[in-house]
Amino acid sequence: MTRGLLVALEGPEGAGKSTLARVLLARLTEHGVRALAVREPGGTAAAEAIRRLLLEPGDSLEPASELLLFLAARADLVAKVIRPALQSGSLVLADRYELSTEAYQCGGRGLDRNLFLTANQAATGGLSPDLTLVLDLPPGAGLERVRKAGKPLDRIEGAGMEFHERVARVFREARGPGVVHLDASRGSEVVAAEAWEALRSRVMAA
Ligand code: Z5A
């Protein structure tokens, strides 16, 4: 592979993105593909500080402040980690990327899509994923998994069912080049096998 690939894992909370990222990273390594995993928001010192601000339950944030903070974190991660890794030929597995912003800040919070597109372009310099794996799961089911795992709900997870329904609709309806939907209500091994097939064909073609 001469140029790295950017692969985004997207979907509602509890859909199994982090679980899938671990499995795919292990498979890629077994196949001799240089790869690294990042999660959003986070991955640099500044982005981790922004993550705490965004996710800790506490004071509310204006929707526009929330959007710009997610994008500030993304700009730092893209410039310091993702672009250099892609330029060195690595595959980058991103646990959430721009589709999450469209789902949560436009779908969930109701912000204008053109505002998102313009600001996201500034944050990423137009770097979009080569492959987006969307894990489709009804939002109630994902939140139940998070609760069962004993994880306290963060500020955005605690935003209410109607918010999460709007978010899930954006994920469900996402279409475009490189977008592949997976039914995440099945067992994690079945989901991982299907995701690996979609990823392997891209890696081999690169
Ligand atoms: N956010 C935003 O609003 N705008 C943005 O632009 C971006 C993000 C980038 C990040 O939180 C929050 O930021 C997120 C969106 C928002 N908030 N919400 N809501 P995060 O990084 O802490 O959380 P997350 O991305 O939602 O991750 P998560 O809740 O941990 O979900 P996950 O990674 O998809 O799932 P998991 O950790 O792999 O699995 C969750 C549990 O389910 C765990 O116990 C697993 O063992 C279990 N699991 C996994 N797969 C399965 C299957 N197939 N069957 C049964 N059980 C399973």
Side-chain angles (χ1 to χ4, degrees):
M1 197 163 62
T2 50
R3 173 200 173 277
L5 291 178
L6 176 57
V7 177
L9 306 182
E10 298 276 14
E13 44 293 323
K17 299 174 297 299
S18 315
T19 305
L20 181 59
R22 283 192 292 277
V23 175
L24 292 180
L25 196 60
R27 293 254 170 98
L28 288 162
T29 308
E30 277 163 30
H31 284 74
V33 177
R34 238 177 333 122
L36 88 154
V38 295
R39 67 156 185 195
E40 277 212 39
T44 67
E48 290 292 332
I50 294 172
R51 178 183 176 90
R52 287 191 288 280
L53 201 59
L54 277 164
L55 299 186
E56 272 173 17
D59 284 352
S60 66
L61 273 174
E62 280 302 303
S65 312
E66 190 177 276
L67 170 74
L68 294 171
L69 284 169
F70 275 113
L71 295 181
R74 178 166 306 146
D76 211 53
L77 181 68
V78 166
K80 292 180 180 158
V81 180
I82 297 181
R83 271 193 195 282
L86 293 174
Q87 275 157 9
S88 77
S90 285
L91 184 149
V92 179
L93 266 182
D95 185 343
R96 296 195 181 279
Y97 194 64
E98 57 196 13
L99 181 57
S100 281
T101 321
E102 188 173 354
Y104 286 90
Q105 280 63 56
C106 300
R109 301 289 189 217
L111 287 176
D112 177 48
R113 188 162 180 273
N114 286 325
L115 169 67
F116 150 69
L117 289 172
T118 305
N120 187 57
Q121 166 74 27
T124 64
L127 179 69
S128 283
D130 300 285
L131 174 66
T132 301
L133 297 172
V134 185
L135 301 190
D136 288 318
L137 191 69
L143 286 169
E144 190 49 34
R145 285 182 186 173
V146 175
R147 273 196 207 97
K148 264 200 189 147
K151 247 180 83 183
L153 294 188
D154 64 40
R155 196 178 59 79
I156 291 174
E157 283 165 342
M161 224 32 224
E162 283 179 13
F163 171 88
H164 288 293
E165 295 285 358
R166 292 195 298 276
V167 169
R169 190 174 318 125
V170 177
F171 282 126
R172 227 179 15 251
E173 293 176 357
R175 297 287 179 276
V179 175
V180 174
H181 285 264
L182 303 170
D183 173 1
S185 65
R186 300 166 300 166
S188 51
E189 284 169 18
V190 180
V191 177
E194 211 172 286
W196 173 244
E197 275 316 303
L199 178 55
R200 199 169 59 99
S201 55
R202 255 67 171 197
V203 171
M204 296 311 162

